mmCIF file of all heavy atoms in Angstrom:
data_model
loop_
_atom_site.group_PDB
_atom_site.id
_atom_site.type_symbol
_atom_site.label_atom_id
_atom_site.label_comp_id
_atom_site.label_asym_id
_atom_site.label_seq_id
_atom_site.Cartn_x
_atom_site.Cartn_y
_atom_site.Cartn_z
ATOM 1 N N ALA R 51 13.069 31.744 4.964
ATOM 2 C CA ALA R 51 12.802 31.346 6.345
ATOM 3 C C ALA R 51 13.058 32.534 7.255
ATOM 4 O O ALA R 51 13.924 33.371 6.984
ATOM 5 C CB ALA R 51 13.673 30.160 6.750
ATOM 6 N N LEU R 52 12.296 32.601 8.338
ATOM 7 C CA LEU R 52 12.449 33.634 9.351
ATOM 8 C C LEU R 52 13.328 33.092 10.473
ATOM 9 O O LEU R 52 13.085 31.994 10.985
ATOM 10 C CB LEU R 52 11.083 34.045 9.899
ATOM 11 C CG LEU R 52 11.052 35.125 10.982
ATOM 12 C CD1 LEU R 52 11.652 36.436 10.462
ATOM 13 C CD2 LEU R 52 9.629 35.333 11.466
ATOM 14 N N PHE R 53 14.354 33.880 10.851
ATOM 15 C CA PHE R 53 15.311 33.446 11.865
ATOM 16 C C PHE R 53 15.302 34.409 13.051
ATOM 17 O O PHE R 53 14.921 35.581 12.935
ATOM 18 C CB PHE R 53 16.726 33.378 11.276
ATOM 19 C CG PHE R 53 16.912 32.248 10.299
ATOM 20 C CD1 PHE R 53 16.616 32.431 8.954
ATOM 21 C CD2 PHE R 53 17.381 31.022 10.721
ATOM 22 C CE1 PHE R 53 16.782 31.400 8.049
ATOM 23 C CE2 PHE R 53 17.560 29.982 9.815
ATOM 24 C CZ PHE R 53 17.247 30.169 8.477
ATOM 25 N N TYR R 54 15.817 33.889 14.164
ATOM 26 C CA TYR R 54 15.754 34.605 15.434
ATOM 27 C C TYR R 54 17.054 34.317 16.188
ATOM 28 O O TYR R 54 17.509 33.163 16.250
ATOM 29 C CB TYR R 54 14.543 34.073 16.199
ATOM 30 C CG TYR R 54 14.390 34.481 17.644
ATOM 31 C CD1 TYR R 54 13.612 35.580 17.989
ATOM 32 C CD2 TYR R 54 14.968 33.738 18.667
ATOM 33 C CE1 TYR R 54 13.431 35.935 19.319
ATOM 34 C CE2 TYR R 54 14.791 34.072 19.993
ATOM 35 C CZ TYR R 54 14.024 35.173 20.315
ATOM 36 O OH TYR R 54 13.839 35.521 21.622
ATOM 37 N N ALA R 55 17.668 35.358 16.740
ATOM 38 C CA ALA R 55 18.884 35.170 17.535
ATOM 39 C C ALA R 55 18.844 36.094 18.740
ATOM 40 O O ALA R 55 18.403 37.242 18.645
ATOM 41 C CB ALA R 55 20.127 35.453 16.692
ATOM 42 N N GLN R 56 19.306 35.603 19.871
ATOM 43 C CA GLN R 56 19.394 36.401 21.097
ATOM 44 C C GLN R 56 20.853 36.781 21.312
ATOM 45 O O GLN R 56 21.688 35.944 21.663
ATOM 46 C CB GLN R 56 18.858 35.616 22.289
ATOM 47 C CG GLN R 56 19.039 36.322 23.631
ATOM 48 C CD GLN R 56 18.187 37.570 23.772
ATOM 49 O OE1 GLN R 56 16.967 37.488 23.867
ATOM 50 N NE2 GLN R 56 18.825 38.741 23.792
ATOM 51 N N LEU R 57 21.193 38.061 21.089
ATOM 52 C CA LEU R 57 22.550 38.528 21.304
ATOM 53 C C LEU R 57 22.775 38.768 22.795
ATOM 54 O O LEU R 57 21.844 39.094 23.537
ATOM 55 C CB LEU R 57 22.797 39.813 20.523
ATOM 56 C CG LEU R 57 22.648 39.715 19.001
ATOM 57 C CD1 LEU R 57 22.831 41.080 18.359
ATOM 58 C CD2 LEU R 57 23.634 38.722 18.425
ATOM 59 N N PRO R 58 24.025 38.636 23.281
ATOM 60 C CA PRO R 58 24.295 38.845 24.709
ATOM 61 C C PRO R 58 24.091 40.311 25.092
ATOM 62 O O PRO R 58 24.154 41.209 24.244
ATOM 63 C CB PRO R 58 25.764 38.429 24.853
ATOM 64 C CG PRO R 58 26.340 38.558 23.482
ATOM 65 C CD PRO R 58 25.227 38.232 22.534
ATOM 66 N N PRO R 59 23.878 40.585 26.371
ATOM 67 C CA PRO R 59 23.578 41.963 26.773
ATOM 68 C C PRO R 59 24.776 42.903 26.667
ATOM 69 O O PRO R 59 24.610 44.103 26.467
ATOM 70 C CB PRO R 59 23.129 41.808 28.232
ATOM 71 C CG PRO R 59 23.721 40.516 28.688
ATOM 72 C CD PRO R 59 23.745 39.636 27.491
ATOM 73 N N GLY R 60 25.978 42.380 26.805
ATOM 74 C CA GLY R 60 27.161 43.230 26.779
ATOM 75 C C GLY R 60 27.828 43.244 25.418
ATOM 76 O O GLY R 60 27.379 42.582 24.484
ATOM 77 N N PRO R 61 28.914 43.995 25.269
ATOM 78 C CA PRO R 61 29.594 44.080 23.976
ATOM 79 C C PRO R 61 30.242 42.758 23.584
ATOM 80 O O PRO R 61 30.674 41.984 24.437
ATOM 81 C CB PRO R 61 30.653 45.172 24.213
ATOM 82 C CG PRO R 61 30.881 45.179 25.691
ATOM 83 C CD PRO R 61 29.555 44.851 26.297
ATOM 84 N N LEU R 62 30.305 42.516 22.300
ATOM 85 C CA LEU R 62 30.903 41.298 21.768
ATOM 86 C C LEU R 62 32.417 41.468 21.678
ATOM 87 O O LEU R 62 32.914 42.527 21.291
ATOM 88 C CB LEU R 62 30.342 40.992 20.381
ATOM 89 C CG LEU R 62 28.864 40.600 20.307
ATOM 90 C CD1 LEU R 62 28.409 40.549 18.851
ATOM 91 C CD2 LEU R 62 28.621 39.263 20.979
ATOM 92 N N ARG R 63 33.152 40.390 22.011
ATOM 93 C CA ARG R 63 34.607 40.407 21.887
ATOM 94 C C ARG R 63 35.073 39.565 20.700
ATOM 95 O O ARG R 63 36.244 39.631 20.329
ATOM 96 C CB ARG R 63 35.250 39.851 23.166
ATOM 97 C CG ARG R 63 34.860 40.603 24.419
ATOM 98 C CD ARG R 63 35.266 42.068 24.355
ATOM 99 N NE ARG R 63 34.876 42.791 25.575
ATOM 100 C CZ ARG R 63 34.951 44.095 25.698
ATOM 101 N NH1 ARG R 63 35.382 44.838 24.683
ATOM 102 N NH2 ARG R 63 34.579 44.679 26.824
ATOM 103 N N SER R 64 34.161 38.776 20.143
ATOM 104 C CA SER R 64 34.482 37.940 18.983
ATOM 105 C C SER R 64 33.177 37.654 18.255
ATOM 106 O O SER R 64 32.124 38.169 18.634
ATOM 107 C CB SER R 64 35.154 36.629 19.429
ATOM 108 O OG SER R 64 34.270 35.882 20.262
ATOM 109 N N ARG R 65 33.247 36.824 17.203
ATOM 110 C CA ARG R 65 32.027 36.473 16.472
ATOM 111 C C ARG R 65 30.997 35.924 17.453
ATOM 112 O O ARG R 65 31.354 35.144 18.342
ATOM 113 C CB ARG R 65 32.339 35.434 15.380
ATOM 114 C CG ARG R 65 31.182 35.210 14.422
ATOM 115 C CD ARG R 65 31.571 34.236 13.318
ATOM 116 N NE ARG R 65 31.618 32.863 13.807
ATOM 117 C CZ ARG R 65 30.548 32.087 13.959
ATOM 118 N NH1 ARG R 65 29.353 32.551 13.661
ATOM 119 N NH2 ARG R 65 30.675 30.859 14.405
ATOM 120 N N PRO R 66 29.720 36.308 17.314
ATOM 121 C CA PRO R 66 28.727 36.022 18.356
ATOM 122 C C PRO R 66 28.686 34.575 18.841
ATOM 123 O O PRO R 66 28.733 34.342 20.048
ATOM 124 C CB PRO R 66 27.408 36.430 17.700
ATOM 125 C CG PRO R 66 27.794 37.469 16.712
ATOM 126 C CD PRO R 66 29.156 37.106 16.225
ATOM 127 N N GLY R 67 28.590 33.616 17.962
ATOM 128 C CA GLY R 67 28.493 32.228 18.400
ATOM 129 C C GLY R 67 27.230 31.937 19.177
ATOM 130 O O GLY R 67 27.183 31.007 19.984
ATOM 131 N N VAL R 68 26.195 32.752 18.965
ATOM 132 C CA VAL R 68 24.941 32.561 19.697
ATOM 133 C C VAL R 68 24.027 31.652 18.886
ATOM 134 O O VAL R 68 24.137 31.564 17.663
ATOM 135 C CB VAL R 68 24.247 33.912 19.954
ATOM 136 C CG1 VAL R 68 25.125 34.786 20.820
ATOM 137 C CG2 VAL R 68 23.922 34.610 18.638
ATOM 138 N N PRO R 69 23.107 30.951 19.544
ATOM 139 C CA PRO R 69 22.174 30.098 18.789
ATOM 140 C C PRO R 69 21.324 30.920 17.822
ATOM 141 O O PRO R 69 20.836 31.994 18.168
ATOM 142 C CB PRO R 69 21.314 29.468 19.888
ATOM 143 C CG PRO R 69 22.129 29.576 21.143
ATOM 144 C CD PRO R 69 22.917 30.844 20.997
ATOM 145 N N VAL R 70 21.194 30.420 16.624
ATOM 146 C CA VAL R 70 20.319 31.020 15.628
ATOM 147 C C VAL R 70 19.179 30.041 15.399
ATOM 148 O O VAL R 70 19.402 28.926 14.936
ATOM 149 C CB VAL R 70 21.067 31.312 14.312
ATOM 150 C CG1 VAL R 70 20.112 31.867 13.265
ATOM 151 C CG2 VAL R 70 22.207 32.278 14.558
ATOM 152 N N GLU R 71 17.972 30.437 15.745
ATOM 153 C CA GLU R 71 16.816 29.551 15.669
ATOM 154 C C GLU R 71 15.925 29.930 14.484
ATOM 155 O O GLU R 71 15.820 31.107 14.128
ATOM 156 C CB GLU R 71 15.989 29.627 16.961
ATOM 157 C CG GLU R 71 16.767 29.326 18.228
ATOM 158 C CD GLU R 71 17.131 27.864 18.360
ATOM 159 O OE1 GLU R 71 16.580 27.041 17.589
ATOM 160 O OE2 GLU R 71 17.966 27.535 19.225
#
Side-chain angles (χ1 to χ4, degrees):
L52 180 61
F53 289 88
Y54 170 94
Q56 174 68 69
L57 299 176
L62 293 171
R63 302 300 180 189
S64 61
R65 190 177 75 81
V68 298
V70 177
E71 304 288 348

